[in-house]
Amino acid sequence: MRTSLRLFGIVLVGLLVLGMGSHYDASYETHWPYPTGDALETDYESHVGDRTFLFGTVRTVDRENATVEILVGTEQGQLPLTVGGVERSVRPGGALQVYGTVEPDRHLAADRVVVVNPAGSSKIFKYGVSVVGALLVVVLFFRRWRFDTDGVGFEVR
């Protein structure tokens, strides 16, 4: 196979992947079944009673009432919401995932809350596993294949 044909194929596949990613990004909002932070920011009252799934940063914690105030990122800035029914340990500055019902006065009745307080070792573990996986793929590839400098390609050993 000619080098120019291979190069054309690689460029074509790259453009297809880029196009699919752009289409996914452009149509993401239409496929998300819950009101987003932007939708709540622009017209909160029309979403009262709807189920939602939001991500936010914890601003304050009220352990006596089991409520947390979170800041949800929107295009206009930060949307403050009070989440009721939080019984897990959460710290200000931590990340919170909330699935629940939109209530009046910028309150959410949480059905499920996931607290994301990353540990210091979580990044090291994540990147370590990725490096080990990449090395495993490279080793397995080169045990079966070798680089042919004359044909500028790979061939079976």
Side-chain angles (χ1 to χ4, degrees):
M1 190 179 258
R2 292 189 318 238
T3 305
S4 61
L5 189 59
R6 285 183 186 176
L7 184 61
F8 174 74
I10 290 171
V11 169
L12 181 65
V13 168
L15 288 173
L16 286 173
V17 169
L18 183 68
M20 289 187 317
S22 299
H23 177 266
Y24 179 80
D25 183 49
S27 65
Y28 178 77
E29 296 292 327
T30 60
H31 298 296
W32 186 253
Y34 309 111
T36 61
D38 291 324
L40 292 175
E41 180 79 48
T42 56
D43 191 14
Y44 188 88
E45 295 303 320
S46 69
H47 295 291
V48 171
D50 289 349
R51 312 286 288 157
T52 189
F53 182 61
L54 294 171
F55 303 87
T57 305
V58 177
R59 189 160 94 180
T60 60
V61 178
D62 184 2
R63 298 204 192 283
E64 291 178 14
N65 297 325
T67 61
V68 172
E69 185 176 352
I70 64 171
L71 297 173
V72 177
T74 65
E75 289 181 4
Q76 290 82 22
Q78 300 288 329
L79 172 66
L81 296 172
T82 303
V83 181
V86 179
E87 298 175 2
R88 299 177 189 247
S89 66
V90 61
R91 302 182 305 245
L96 200 67
Q97 299 175 4
V98 180
Y99 176 73
T101 306
V102 179
E103 294 182 335
D105 299 325
R106 300 196 183 240
H107 282 74
L108 295 175
D111 292 332
R112 182 169 166 87
V113 175
V114 177
V115 179
V116 184
N117 289 328
S121 62
S122 63
K123 282 189 179 181
I124 295 170
F125 177 77
K126 177 175 57 175
Y127 291 127
V129 168
S130 297
V131 166
V132 168
L135 287 175
L136 181 64
V137 168
V138 168
V139 167
L140 290 175
F141 179 81
F142 282 110
R143 286 186 71 184
R144 180 85 173 136
W145 296 87
R146 71 178 182 87
F147 186 71
D148 180 20
T149 55
D150 296 331
V152 186
F154 293 99
E155 65 181 26
V156 177
R157 287 186 174 262

